[in-house]
């Protein structure tokens, strides 16, 4: 008998109270009374022989041991919930994998292609979460991550191995309406690309995570652009795409992330001079421990993803 495993009720009460640092809010979330939550946590502290909370003038505060234990308990409960949901949804035949991916890549590139993977592997269920920065795999219930960054950043992600998928190539795009008054031209030629000197005079849209994007592009094409750092900043490519389609300015975006907008004519290539930067897309997986093999479902997904990226 595993006598040292606390009850799930006590762990759930502790996790909620730790997250809110409030017995009252934990009780409201769990539909219990405050005294019931308090009793569960007191019983848990007695079982552990460790104080998890201490009172302060601001209320209940986690002790250092309580803070460490709360992180572990949150992971355990998430794992139990994930496994339970998989079983309830009858997702046990081919396995279920969880992938963390950068948001715009997930919605604009991966999800439209995912039905092809499901046709090849109908028994495998792929869960997708969004994540913009590296994380510790031991603290997240994911099996792999699709990350956009430099080779150095990919190598410096501790405890992982990186598989290159594709380089990131960006081009200047904008609404065709923005190009109409930008340069004199004959009728029917409003949507033709313009010279980089013309772009230097147009409003520019910036990506907050890549503040030097436009300056790098203008340096690559050899054009002086005093206003290369000017313009509103947005965090995601998807936000840049919407702003550019609304005529707010010119944005640097990988064409593979705006295939629909380009096909519909909502966005056009403003200047046909792409920039291959230092960033690329990588499949990041945790290093195997204790010789444990990579699950067959994840191996199948990795092979399929590499093939689609190459195509």
């Amino acid at each position: 008998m595993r006598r040292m495993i606390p009850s799930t009720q006590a762990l759930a009460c502790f996790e909620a109270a730790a997250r809110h640092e409030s017995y009252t809010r934990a009780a409201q979330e769990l539909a219990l009374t405050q005294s019931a939550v308090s009793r569960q946590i007191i019983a848990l502290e007695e079982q552990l022989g460790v104080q998890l909370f201490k009172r302060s003038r601001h209320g209940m505060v986690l002790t250092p041991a309580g803070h460490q234990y709360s992180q572990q308990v949150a992971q355990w409960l998430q794992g139990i919930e994930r496994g339970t949901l998989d079983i309830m949804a009858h997702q046990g035949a081919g396995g279920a994998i969880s992938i963390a991916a950068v948001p715009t890549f997930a919605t604009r590139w991966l999800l439209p292609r995912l039905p092809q993977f499901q046709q090849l592997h109908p028994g495998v269920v792929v869960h997708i979460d969004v994540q913009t920065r590296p994380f510790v795999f031991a603290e997240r219930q994911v099996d792999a991550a699709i990350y956009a960054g430099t080779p150095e950043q990919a190598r410096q992600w501790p405890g992982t191995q990186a598989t290159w998928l594709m380089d990131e190539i960006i081009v200047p795009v904008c609404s065709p309406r923005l190009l109409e008054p930008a340069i004199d031209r004959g009728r029917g030629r409003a949507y033709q690309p313009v010279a980089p000197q013309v772009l230097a005079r147009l409003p520019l849209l910036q990506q907050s995570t890549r503040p030097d994007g436009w300056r790098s592009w203008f340096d690559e094409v050899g054009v002086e652009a005093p206003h290369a750092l000017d313009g509103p900043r947005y965090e995601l490519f998807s936000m840049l795409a919407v702003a550019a389609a609304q005529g707010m300015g010119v944005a640097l975006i990988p064409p593979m992330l705006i295939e629909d907008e380009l096909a519909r004519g909502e966005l056009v290539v403003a200047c046909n001079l792409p920039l291959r930067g230092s960033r690329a897309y990588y499949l990041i997986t945790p290093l195997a421990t204790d010789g444990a093999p990579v699950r067959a479902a994840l191996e199948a997904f990795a092979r399929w993803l590499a093939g689609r990226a190459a195509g």
Side-chain angles (χ1 to χ4, degrees), residues 128-164:
I128 298 179
D129 193 8
V130 293
Q131 180 74 35
T132 57
R133 293 174 175 84
F135 55 88
V136 179
F137 273 89
E139 298 177 356
R140 294 289 303 273
Q141 295 295 325
V142 296
D143 301 298
I146 299 173
Y147 175 66
T150 64
E152 292 76 17
Q153 290 172 327
R155 286 194 297 267
Q156 291 172 4
W157 194 333
T160 67
Q161 57 188 8
T163 302
W164 174 86

Side-chain angles (χ1 to χ4, degrees), residues 79-102:
I80 293 172
E81 182 179 35
R82 173 185 164 189
T84 302
L85 289 173
D86 285 348
I87 292 297
M88 291 173 63
H90 307 290
Q91 297 172 355
I97 56 176
S98 292
I99 307 296
V102 284

Side-chain angles (χ1 to χ4, degrees), residues 43-277:
L44 180 61
E45 289 178 325
E46 291 177 349
Q47 180 178 358
L48 299 175
V50 175
Q51 184 181 7
L52 300 174
F53 286 96
K54 62 181 179 181
R55 284 195 172 277
S56 73
R57 59 182 179 179
H58 301 295
M60 305 302 296
V61 179
L62 283 167
T63 65
H67 177 72
Q68 180 181 1
Y69 192 52
S70 69
Q71 294 179 323
Q72 296 174 326
V73 169
Q75 296 172 36
W76 297 335
L77 292 177
Q78 289 172 7
I80 293 172
E81 182 179 35
R82 173 185 164 189
T84 302
L85 289 173
D86 285 348
I87 292 297
M88 291 173 63
H90 307 290
Q91 297 172 355
I97 56 176
S98 292
I99 307 296
V102 284
T104 307
F105 181 89
T107 56
R108 300 295 188 94
W109 191 91
L110 180 58
L111 281 174
R113 292 164 172 79
L114 202 54
Q116 301 168 5
F117 175 78
Q118 293 180 326
Q119 290 178 357
L120 295 172
H121 305 276
V124 178
V125 175
V126 181
H127 304 295
I128 298 179
D129 193 8
V130 293
Q131 180 74 35
T132 57
R133 293 174 175 84
F135 55 88
V136 179
F137 273 89
E139 298 177 356
R140 294 289 303 273
Q141 295 295 325
V142 296
D143 301 298
I146 299 173
Y147 175 66
T150 64
E152 292 76 17
Q153 290 172 327
R155 286 194 297 267
Q156 291 172 4
W157 194 333
T160 67
Q161 57 188 8
T163 302
W164 174 86
L165 296 174
M166 66 185 96
D167 291 330
E168 183 180 82
I169 300 175
I170 56 176
V171 295
V173 297
C174 67
S175 166
R177 301 190 307 272
L178 195 66
L179 296 184
E180 293 175 1
I183 189 172
D184 293 333
R185 65 184 82 214
R187 291 176 60 84
R189 295 184 58 81
Y191 300 165
Q192 296 298 312
V194 299
Q197 292 84 352
V198 176
L199 290 193
R201 302 193 298 267
L202 293 176
L204 303 177
L205 303 176
Q206 310 286 345
Q207 187 171 21
S208 57
T209 57
R210 309 177 191 199
D212 293 327
W214 272 113
R215 185 156 56 185
S216 299
W217 186 85
F218 282 114
D219 288 345
E220 181 73 15
V221 299
V223 170
E224 289 288 333
H227 304 293
L229 299 179
D230 295 352
R233 300 189 181 278
Y234 305 97
E235 183 176 3
L236 304 177
F237 279 129
S238 57
M239 301 168 69
L240 283 173
V242 173
Q246 295 302 315
M248 296 175 63
V250 189
L252 288 170
I253 305 177
M256 68 175 183
L257 301 182
I258 50 172
E259 294 172 335
D260 290 343
E261 287 89 343
L262 292 172
R264 294 192 298 261
E266 297 171 359
L267 290 174
V268 296
V269 176
C271 182
N272 197 18
L273 292 174
L275 173 66
R276 185 186 297 270

